[in-house]
């Protein structure tokens, strides 16, 4: 089934942005100060890739199971002295009833079936989308984002299973242009199967 067909049948994909809770993901202890942690807990993830920063430290960590299609990632964000209070955090509770194609992003490429961004830097958002349009391989997209943006941020690309009704993403985000960017994008390529990505970039504290 294609992403477009899923839209027409009102398939529900859950994308929930909530405050990250205390806990551990890999070597990352989410209770470690400063309180600028972001995390994502997801089911229905077919594959993932990272770039930009190693994941074996204590400020950028991932855990996942290809067998169970589960994935977890944590970022200790460097806010550059910005207050970590509610004014810079994003809390959105959405159950996306995708009844038609929707593109709320800065790039209007006709191959984009769906796009939702939490990325205040429009230039960066467009660069991320252009990388996503190039390939249905998460490792290629992650490396291409790093290459084109020239940022030393932590980069994560998740391939989301749009055929699984249990697909669910629970994440937190900062609305800070020079510290965080995420794009949730469904693409219909010229050839091959449709694909759906959750892409996240964060400027993390250095270990």
């Amino acid at each position: 089934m294609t992403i477009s067909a899923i839209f027409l049948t009102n398939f529900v994909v859950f994308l929930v942005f909530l405050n990250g809770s205390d806990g551990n993901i890999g070597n990352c202890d989410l209770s470690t100060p400063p309180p600028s942690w972001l995390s994502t807990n997801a089911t229905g993830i077919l594959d993932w890739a990272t770039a930009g920063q190693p994941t074996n430290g204590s400020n950028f960590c991932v855990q996942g199971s290809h067998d169970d299609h589960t994935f977890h990632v944590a970022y200790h964000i460097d806010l550059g002295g910005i207050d970590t209070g509610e004014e810079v955090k994003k809390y959105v509770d959405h159950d996306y009833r995708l009844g038609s194609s929707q593109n709320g992003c800065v790039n209007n490429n006709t191959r984009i079936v769906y796009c939702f961004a939490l990325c205040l830097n429009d230039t960066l958002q467009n660069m991320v989308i252009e990388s996503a349009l190039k390939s249905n391989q998460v490792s290629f997209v992650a490396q291409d984002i790093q290459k084109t943006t020239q940022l030393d941020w932590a980069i994560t690309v998740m391939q989301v299973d749009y055929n699984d009704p249990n697909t669910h993403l629970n994440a937190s985000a900062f609305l800070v242009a020079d510290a965080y960017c995420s794009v949730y994008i469904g693409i219909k390529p010229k050839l091959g199967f449709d694909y759906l990505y959750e892409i996240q970039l964060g400027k993390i504290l250095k270990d």
Side-chain angles (χ1 to χ4, degrees):
M1 184 179 290
T2 66
I3 294 177
S4 299
I6 288 171
F7 289 169
L8 294 175
T9 57
N10 287 326
F11 178 81
V12 178
V13 173
F14 292 97
L15 181 61
V16 183
F17 291 90
L18 300 170
N19 188 19
S21 59
D22 289 347
N24 287 23
I25 295 177
N27 293 329
C28 292
D29 180 352
L30 276 62
S31 65
T32 301
S36 57
W37 285 98
L38 297 179
S39 63
T40 297
N41 297 291
T43 58
I45 303 302
L46 297 172
D47 201 5
W48 62 86
T50 63
Q53 291 291 325
T55 59
N56 58 356
S58 58
N59 289 319
F60 177 40
C61 304
V62 300
Q63 284 183 333
S65 168
H66 286 101
D67 291 336
D68 296 334
H69 295 173
T70 58
F71 182 72
H72 313 277
V73 58
Y75 312 85
H76 205 178
I77 300 296
D78 181 358
L79 292 174
I82 297 175
D83 182 15
T84 57
E86 298 300 313
E87 65 273 14
V88 297
K89 280 192 175 180
K90 183 66 174 178
Y91 304 90
V92 182
D93 190 351
H94 285 311
D95 59 337
Y96 283 167
R97 302 182 184 277
L98 305 179
S100 61
S101 296
Q102 303 173 58
N103 183 355
C105 297
V106 297
N107 189 309
N108 292 317
N109 190 296
T110 57
R111 287 184 287 142
I112 299 173
V113 180
Y114 184 84
C115 193
F116 173 80
L118 287 174
C119 187
L120 298 185
N121 184 328
D122 287 350
T123 300
L124 178 58
Q125 181 189 145
N126 189 62
M127 295 172 79
V128 169
I129 293 169
E130 287 294 331
S131 292
L133 286 164
K134 292 178 182 178
S135 176
N136 63 357
Q137 300 296 314
V138 289
S139 57
F140 176 92
V141 174
Q143 293 296 328
D144 194 69
I145 290 171
Q146 182 184 20
K147 178 181 177 181
T148 57
T149 64
Q150 293 293 298
L151 293 173
D152 63 349
W153 292 13
I155 300 165
T156 306
V157 180
M158 294 167 252
Q159 183 177 1
V160 182
D161 186 353
Y162 57 82
N163 284 313
D164 184 354
N166 294 315
T167 292
H168 187 101
L169 287 85
N170 184 299
S172 51
F174 284 123
L175 288 180
V176 179
D178 58 357
Y180 183 79
C181 176
S182 71
V183 177
Y184 188 67
I185 183 169
I187 295 171
K188 186 176 184 63
K190 294 179 180 178
L191 296 173
F193 296 104
D194 299 2
Y195 55 95
L196 180 63
Y197 287 147
E198 164 70 0
I199 303 172
Q200 301 171 348
L201 293 77
K203 181 182 180 182
I204 63 168
L205 295 167
K206 299 300 171 59
D207 287 315

